Structures are given as structure tokens and as C-alpha cells.
Amino acid sequence: MTKIAFIGLGVMGFPMAGHLAAAGHDVTVYNRTSAKADDWVEQHGGAMAASPREAAAGAEIVFTCVGNDDDLRSVTLGQDGAFAGLAEGTLFVDHTTVSAHIARELAEKLEEQGCRGIDAPVSGGQAGAENGKLAIMCGGSDTAMDRARPVMDAYAARIVHVGGPGAGQTTKMVNQICIAGVLSGLSEAVRFAQAADVDLAKVREAISGGAAQSWQMDNRWDTMAAGEFDFGFAIDWMRKDLGLALDEARRNGSSLPNAALVDQYYAEVQAMGGNRQDTSAMIRRLRKGGDKD
């Protein structure tokens, strides 16, 4: 049993912390909206704290899963931040998707306090968190990974140690760039097939066993064709993630023309009211087969 603090009980953090409790760990939670922390304790036991600092006090491992760079700073730094409550030797694991810059910044602060950190963004969405089948991409030291891996196993299907601080966040950016490109092509393919008036189910059956196959095709082809987008990873979140990738590209000198274009496609869908719809709603910006200009 490990004494754990888990900070951030959103759609991902709530079930992830639950898996840790189910695995037998002693979990104390903190959430900005205390009602969620109350609900979590009612369902899973453990305890809730009044501040990130209070949650981190006495913990062997502190996990965070919040919204963005600013959220992460607010729960880690300052008088009431988690870092103010860390004892020497505490391990800090951040599951938020944030910039590689802040991951490296926090790693340096942790080293100054005699602690270690891992940036560990996840992929798999809400369903992956609830089912304990997340893919976790990690940046940090070998020593930190050796401590964190058996604990993260409670909600992971795959854990890969990519490199040093920031490497996990950079890998998540690669992940989102790939997804954006696949959805762009898939959106055009579905609309093209609809315009050609062919049997979409038969088309998917024919091509999904070859090089065109993807997770998005297997799980979103039918719902995209039907105009169903009330699930999965929201466009608002994808635009945040693509923004992180585009910012990092400016820092490392790489070029992301397709990611930049897809980001603008998503801005169009946001303007149509699709902010919280699944990323497959990209198809909404393309007229349906048979529609006229």
C-alpha cells in the first residue's frame, strides 16, 4: 500500500484515482470543486483535503490531472500548492496534457526540493480511464519510473518511458498530430463515399483490413456517417493540444502545416457550436454527399 495524493477529479482523474483506491492504496483527493471530492470519497473511501498542499502532506506519490499549464501551476506552486507540502523524496506524477516547457520547469523545482517528477500524459479518453486501459507516455528518470510504474499499472494498458523531463509531453503532442491527420482524411473519405452513393458499411469492411485501417476508422466511421458526436475527446481539448504542439514546433524549428490546417478546421466546427463534440465532428465542416452548394 502506498500513501497517495490525487489532485484533479475531472472525467479522467476521478476514475483513475478510483482505480488506485481499488488497488489498495491509501488515497487522499483534492478537487477545486469540493462536491466532486465529496462524491469520490463517498464512492471509494479515502479522504479529501482542503488544498493541494494539505493533500500532498505525508504522501509518497502525488498525482495531478488538471486542465492546462495555468491549472497545473495553480495546484503545484505557491503557498497552498502541492509542492509546498512535499517531503524530501516524494514522487510527483503529472497526467495533465501540458507544454513540455512546464514539465521541464516543474522537474527542476522538484530536484531543488530533493524530489523527482514524471510528466505522464495519457491517451485512451474517458473510456480508457474508466476501464483502466490507458496508454501512458512518460518523461523522467529511470529511478522515478521504477517507483511509479507498479502504481500506474492500476489504470494502464501500456506504460512507455520515452526519455527525460518533457519527453512524455512531447510524445503526447506526436500522438495528437497523428490523430488530427487521420481524422482529416477520414472525414473526407466518408463524405466522398456518401457522395458516391455506395454502401458505407461495405466500403469500411473492404478497406479496414488493409493499410487504411485505423482506430478512428474502426470506432468512428459509422458514427461520423450518422452525424453522432456526443462522446469521446472534445474538440476544445484537441485544439488545446494542437496549440501546444504548434507552440513546441516554433521552439524546435519543425514544421506542422497539416496540424495547423486541422486546427483551423476545428475552429470552424467550434463556430458551428461543436466545442464539446467528439473530434470526429470535423466532418461537419464538409457538406454531406448529395448536398448542393
Side-chain angles (χ1 to χ4, degrees):
M1 183 181 71
T2 303
K3 187 170 176 54
I4 290 171
F6 202 104
I7 298 169
L9 299 174
V11 296
M12 302 294 286
F14 195 105
M16 291 164 73
H19 287 299
L20 292 171
H25 299 296
D26 179 5
V27 183
T28 296
V29 297
Y30 168 80
N31 194 71
R32 184 168 52 188
T33 304
S34 60
K36 282 190 176 180
D38 286 331
D39 289 345
W40 189 92
V41 171
E42 184 176 346
Q43 290 184 38
H44 301 287
M48 62 176 289
S51 69
R53 177 175 183 167
E54 181 181 312
E60 299 170 70
I61 305 179
V62 176
F63 290 91
T64 50
C65 189
V66 290
N68 54 37
D69 285 29
D70 290 340
D71 294 330
L72 184 58
R73 285 193 174 93
S74 72
V75 299
T76 55
L77 306 179
Q79 183 175 352
D80 292 322
F83 285 13
L86 299 180
E88 185 174 352
T90 304
L91 177 63
F92 173 74
V93 179
D94 177 40
H95 286 309
T96 315
T97 296
V98 290
S99 67
H101 173 74
I102 192 173
R104 292 187 287 264
E105 174 190 326
L106 294 184
E108 291 179 3
K109 293 183 181 298
L110 288 164
E111 289 288 341
E112 293 170 1
Q113 292 185 231
C115 302
R116 295 185 183 273
I118 299 173
D119 51 287
V122 302
S123 180
Q126 183 176 350
E130 291 173 349
N131 296 324
K133 299 295 183 183
L134 292 169
I136 309 178
M137 46 218 86
C138 303
S141 69
D142 291 339
T143 302
M145 281 302 303
D146 288 343
R147 286 183 63 194
R149 189 184 297 272
V151 180
M152 293 191 297
D153 275 338
Y155 45 78
R158 176 182 298 178
I159 301 171
V160 179
H161 182 200
V162 181
Q169 296 298 345
T170 302
T171 303
K172 180 61 182 287
M173 295 172 201
V174 172
N175 185 78
Q176 303 306 73
I177 292 166
C178 290
I179 292 172
V182 169
L183 281 170
S184 178
L186 192 62
S187 296
E188 293 184 4
V190 172
R191 285 292 191 247
F192 176 83
Q194 288 176 324
D197 197 25
V198 292
D199 186 323
L200 266 68
K202 291 295 185 183
V203 171
R204 181 170 66 84
E205 180 184 358
I207 68 175
S208 62
Q213 187 276 338
S214 68
W215 186 96
Q216 298 292 341
M217 178 180 287
D218 291 345
N219 292 275
R220 297 290 182 259
W221 176 281
D222 293 340
T223 53
M224 290 170 76
E228 299 171 358
F229 312 111
D230 189 23
F231 47 79
F233 190 68
I235 286 173
D236 282 351
W237 301 339
M238 176 60 96
R239 286 211 71 200
K240 182 206 79 170
D241 292 355
L242 289 176
L244 293 172
L246 292 166
D247 286 344
E248 190 66 17
R250 285 187 280 271
R251 291 191 183 94
N252 66 26
S254 58
S255 178
L256 300 178
N258 188 61
L261 188 60
V262 170
D263 183 54
Q264 291 308 300
Y265 291 163
Y266 278 132
E268 292 179 30
V269 183
Q270 285 179 321
M272 298 165 68
N275 303 63
R276 304 298 294 180
Q277 291 183 322
D278 179 75
T279 48
S280 59
M282 185 193 298
I283 196 172
R284 290 183 60 197
R285 60 175 296 277
L286 301 171
R287 69 179 188 272
K288 296 179 180 179
D291 288 354
K292 304 299 183 182
D293 291 329

